[in-house]
Amino acid sequence: MPPKNSVSMRDVAVLAQVSVGTVSNVLNSPERVSEATLRRVRDAIDKLGWVPNESARQLRAGRSRSIGMIVMDIANPFFTDLARGAEAVLYAGQYSVQMGNSDQDAARELTLLERFEQQRVGGALFAPIEEGTERALRLRQRGIPVVIVDRASGSADFCSVGVDDLAGGRLAGQHLLDQGHRSLAFVGGPSSLAQVRDRRAGLELAVEQADGDVSLLAVSTPGLTLEAGVSTAGEIAALPSAERPTAVFAANDLLAIGLLQGFVTAGLRVPDDVAIIGYDDIAFAAAAAVPLSSIRQPSAEIGRRSAELLLAEIEAADAGRPHRHEAVRFTPQLIARRSTQPRKPRKG
């Protein structure tokens, strides 16, 4: 018997008394092989201890069974849940996932895309920092299907899956107005992110359509992080009482949780002194010391739908069929909790 590291598909075929093509069918299209032949080939594989060379097979096929995925912040539970939803679909489709975290860094994002191109991944799920279409087109030109995730692609050349963030921002703003607040703040950044711009625009729309005078303070942050929320809470708490907003809409839940921590440290009560609503409805929102209201987007479902569209495009490309690109938009949902309960009149 040859050493295991030198066993080839031909050795398996000889032992099983079948052709090399039949061994290939057992591995890739077992439905085309009889039960008796399947057993004979598998017995030969077990006896020889042969492990198929997947890299060589992918090189011959010209397409990898690995999918590249880029998210903006893997530490954000929203993207963790999104990735898990996508991975479940890809695993069922016999694909593995190469995860890339751009960390909201454009240069890092470009490097990750270049690596996926060099590795000839079978497809890519891409949550871009900015527009991203031009960079995604480069992969497309190399024959790598791409689905834009967590935002509209702005192009008919790609499938995209996301949430109507304009509607989500408006939902958050209307909720705060309905709770009696007339001095609001929006905390979020950087403004280069379309999600941040749309959520703020939705809030502004709610304010414009409100009855009576409503003030709106906009505070930009360098990132959508817990630390940025804590720091911004200190800035807001330092404002004179008459100028301090009574309610804050944070662009995501990590910011909202940071704001909660910062306000409590500064001696402000939530929601009596200041109400808070976030965005995403991550698990930590409900578990916060003061359960946080949030605008829920279906993170896992966004991931699942993105992966389904990508696999459909890969299958169409492999079969030489045209593929119709889809723009899927989910509707956000208000989840009201204690952090935005009706405010009590401010004393003094």
Side-chain angles (χ1 to χ4, degrees):
M1 183 183 299
K4 289 185 178 181
N5 60 3
S6 66
V7 175
S8 67
M9 185 184 292
R10 183 171 298 280
D11 295 320
V12 173
V14 170
L15 183 59
Q17 297 182 335
V18 297
S19 69
V20 171
T22 298
V23 177
S24 178
N25 284 336
V26 168
L27 297 173
N28 301 303
S29 304
E31 70 280 358
R32 300 173 59 182
V33 184
S34 70
E35 283 296 325
T37 302
L38 275 174
R39 285 195 300 271
R40 200 160 68 246
V41 172
R42 287 170 178 168
D43 286 345
I45 289 173
D46 290 341
K47 184 174 182 179
L48 293 172
W50 179 61
V51 178
N53 187 332
E54 181 66 10
S55 297
R57 187 197 67 77
Q58 292 175 1
L59 186 61
R60 290 191 299 270
R63 188 186 298 282
S64 168
R65 299 293 295 186
S66 181
I67 299 298
M69 184 172 189
I70 297 177
V71 298
M72 288 188 288
D73 182 8
I74 196 60
N76 185 337
F78 167 76
F79 285 111
T80 305
D81 292 343
L82 187 155
R84 291 186 67 182
E87 196 275 339
V89 171
L90 296 171
Y91 175 81
Q94 300 183 343
Y95 282 84
S96 61
V97 178
Q98 294 186 50
M99 180 60 64
N101 178 35
S102 70
D103 206 24
Q104 299 181 40
D105 182 314
R108 183 183 177 95
E109 179 184 84
L110 179 59
T111 297
L112 290 169
L113 288 170
E114 290 174 344
R115 288 177 182 174
F116 289 162
E117 179 184 350
Q118 292 163 4
Q119 293 162 6
R120 301 168 71 178
V121 294
L125 298 173
F126 180 30
I129 299 171
E130 298 181 6
E131 175 57 34
T133 302
E134 182 178 344
R135 293 178 174 181
L137 273 173
R138 178 168 171 173
L139 292 181
R140 171 63 53 75
Q141 290 166 355
R142 301 295 190 273
I144 300 174
V146 180
V147 172
I148 304 296
V149 181
D150 191 37
R151 67 179 298 169
S153 71
S155 169
D157 294 326
F158 300 95
C159 287
S160 62
V161 182
V163 167
D164 187 343
D165 285 316
L166 186 69
R170 186 173 182 178
L171 199 60
Q174 190 59 54
H175 174 63
L176 296 177
L177 294 169
D178 290 344
Q179 301 305 94
H181 296 282
R182 288 298 180 269
S183 178
L184 311 181
F186 176 78
V187 175
S191 59
S192 58
L193 295 176
Q195 296 91 329
V196 171
R197 294 196 303 271
D198 288 348
R199 292 168 195 179
R200 176 177 172 176
L203 172 63
E204 292 172 342
L205 188 59
V207 169
E208 290 171 6
Q209 297 177 343
D211 294 329
D213 292 334
V214 179
S215 64
L216 177 59
L217 171 68
V219 182
S220 181
T221 61
L224 300 171
T225 64
L226 193 77
E227 294 77 14
V230 172
S231 175
T232 303
E235 297 173 12
I236 293 175
L239 294 173
S241 177
E243 299 177 16
R244 188 188 311 135
T246 64
V248 179
F249 171 33
N252 78 352
D253 283 342
L254 290 183
L255 276 174
I257 293 170
L259 286 165
L260 173 61
Q261 293 180 0
F263 286 142
V264 170
T265 300
L268 296 180
R269 298 166 301 165
V270 177
D272 293 343
D273 295 319
V274 58
I276 308 172
I277 185 169
Y279 205 103
D280 292 337
D281 195 34
I282 63 177
F284 297 126
V290 178
L292 282 165
S293 296
S294 188
I295 302 300
R296 175 180 293 170
Q297 51 177 340
S299 50
E301 184 59 27
I302 292 172
R304 284 193 291 268
R305 191 72 186 101
S306 299
E308 289 169 354
L309 290 174
L310 183 62
L311 292 184
E313 185 169 353
I314 291 172
E315 181 180 344
D318 288 346
R321 300 193 311 266
H323 174 75
R324 182 175 64 85
H325 297 298
E326 297 183 44
V328 178
R329 290 293 168 272
F330 290 100
T331 301
Q333 177 186 3
L334 170 67
I335 305 297
R337 299 190 179 97
R338 189 151 62 90
S339 69
T340 56
Q341 284 181 349
R343 66 180 298 261
K344 298 175 182 178
R346 177 180 283 169
K347 296 180 181 180

